[in-house]
Amino acid sequence: MAHKTGLEEYYSIKNNQKMRLGYTTGSCAAGAAKAASRMLLEDSRISQETLMTPKGILLNLEILHTTRGNNWVSCAVKKDAGDDPDITNQLEIFAKVEKSTQPGIRIQGGEGVGTVTRKGLEQPIGSPAINKVPQAMIRKELEALCQKQNYPGGLVVTISVPKGQEIAGKTFNPRLGIQGGISILGTSGIVEPMSEAALIKSIQVEMRQKVENGAEYLLITPGNYGAAYVKEHMELPFEENIKCSNYVGETIDMALDMGVKGILFISHIGKFVKDSNGKITKVNAFPGHNLPLGCLGVFILWLGWYGFNGAAATSVEELGSIFVTTTIAPSIATVVCMIFTWVKYGKPDVSMCLNASLAGLVGITAGCANVDAVGATIIGLVDGILVAVSYTHLRAHETPE
């Protein structure tokens, strides 16, 4: 039977797909440290350990590779990044906990945990790249265990990642001046797949590191095209470029906040990518990103639709009937689409529901003066189902880039 981590009922929605949540390297380190401490102080052996994350989600972590010696215990927790494309997914994070005569909890980095070599990061130069939240999680759990067991001494915790140095080259660590391994990270303890907040945070970390090491001007590229152009055609320090993806506004805001004097943006022009013959080979879509404005736009259109459909009325009674059908059809379409997406994806898809509202308005227009409330309900029902089903069908059969 597969191990239950406690995240089975948690997920996020991305592009109308359910995405499993995971847990961070910080949670793995804290869970392994807690389990090793329990086994050391209780002289026991356990196969799983619970850990309350800062996000408020209780994890149930499987404990692997337990070994013990005189006054020490070591064990590991395997990282599960959920559906996030994380290079550190499935890495085993080890914690070795040793008794010490010096009181307090001391945390140090072992094999595969990077060392900070530049200013601008959470930890000072020379320290292991174990961020403050994972360290706080470890201290909290171990101090509680020491108090529970009436243990008067101290504990030394060594976090290690046997494959960390191998994986580190595929992460941002070399750009940030973290050498020899990966970082032990996490602010909430939980990995949310393709989190925008995490992407923006990574830009901020890299920018702060450059600023605190003396950079007054920044070289920014939105993506690979700009970065490749810098490398191949410009006499600029390629290793100094920061990729900002679609978060240009956030990047400028962060630069202003850090006192940056200027930014050089280098990117290709427009949203189309063409080959050498000028043929468009790829269209970079700009997805909707402001749902409140989208909702406002739909409601303004809906309000205007009363005037558009109402122009067909020849009497006050007919105008009232038109207003009723113009209200019923989009309302039913919206509710039907909301229920469909709620059932299929676990929560309503607001953007698709807005499309259903517009479909209901379009669907009722031609017959707004000729159908009654029942007819408008049927039209709305069909429109809502068509929007939801057709979108799902198109997504399932779209051609990958």
Side-chain angles (χ1 to χ4, degrees), residues 131-400:
N131 278 11
K132 59 184 180 182
V133 172
Q135 289 202 38
M137 293 168 68
I138 293 171
R139 293 184 193 281
K140 177 183 176 182
E141 297 294 344
L142 271 58
E143 286 170 358
L145 279 169
C146 289
Q147 185 176 11
K148 180 181 178 181
Q149 296 296 322
N150 294 316
Y151 172 66
L155 296 174
V156 178
V157 182
T158 303
I159 305 299
S160 59
V161 187
K163 295 183 179 180
Q165 187 167 7
E166 173 188 344
I167 294 295
K170 301 175 183 178
T171 71
F172 275 110
N173 276 11
R175 294 171 61 93
L176 298 175
I178 298 173
Q179 303 296 328
I182 67 166
S183 300
I184 304 301
L185 303 171
T187 54
S188 68
I190 299 297
V191 175
E192 297 192 22
M194 295 178 283
S195 165
E196 290 188 2
L199 287 171
I200 294 171
K201 179 67 175 178
S202 69
I203 299 169
Q204 184 184 42
V205 168
E206 187 173 7
M207 185 183 295
R208 188 177 302 281
Q209 187 265 332
K210 293 187 183 303
V211 169
E212 294 200 12
N213 281 277
E216 296 180 332
Y217 297 87
L218 298 177
L219 174 60
I220 307 291
T221 58
N224 292 330
Y225 292 106
Y229 188 84
V230 171
K231 189 173 185 179
E232 296 171 10
H233 302 289
M234 304 190 74
E235 294 183 3
L236 292 171
F238 172 76
E239 65 280 358
E240 293 299 319
N241 90 88
I242 300 173
K243 290 184 182 178
C244 69
S245 188
N246 292 327
Y247 307 106
V248 175
E250 290 86 348
T251 299
I252 294 173
D253 288 342
M254 288 186 289
L256 286 171
D257 185 59
M258 294 181 197
V260 172
K261 291 183 177 180
I263 294 175
L264 175 61
F265 276 105
I266 299 179
S267 63
H268 66 288
I269 298 174
K271 61 180 288 190
F272 299 115
V273 179
K274 300 181 180 181
D275 62 17
S276 58
N277 298 317
K279 179 182 178 183
I280 295 174
T281 57
K282 179 181 177 183
V283 178
N284 297 310
F286 296 116
H289 59 281
N290 194 316
L291 287 177
L293 281 180
C295 292
L296 180 61
V298 169
F299 288 134
I300 290 173
L301 278 172
W302 195 330
L303 184 62
W305 225 279
Y306 287 112
F308 182 72
N309 284 359
T314 57
S315 66
V316 174
E317 290 78 8
E318 191 174 26
L319 181 63
S321 176
I322 289 173
F323 282 2
V324 169
T325 57
T326 303
T327 301
I328 290 175
S331 299
I332 294 296
T334 304
V335 171
V336 167
C337 189
M338 180 186 71
I339 294 172
F340 180 92
T341 55
W342 205 333
V343 171
K344 186 170 180 62
Y345 304 121
K347 67 177 183 179
D349 186 309
V350 177
S351 61
M352 200 184 298
C353 290
L354 294 177
N355 285 326
S357 301
L358 296 176
L361 289 169
V362 172
I364 195 61
T365 297
C368 63
N370 302 314
V371 299
D372 57 10
V374 175
T377 300
I378 294 172
I379 290 172
L381 183 67
V382 172
D383 288 338
I385 293 173
L386 281 176
V387 167
V389 172
S390 60
Y391 178 82
T392 303
H393 177 78
L394 289 172
R395 286 285 301 175
H397 292 83
E398 67 180 354
T399 304

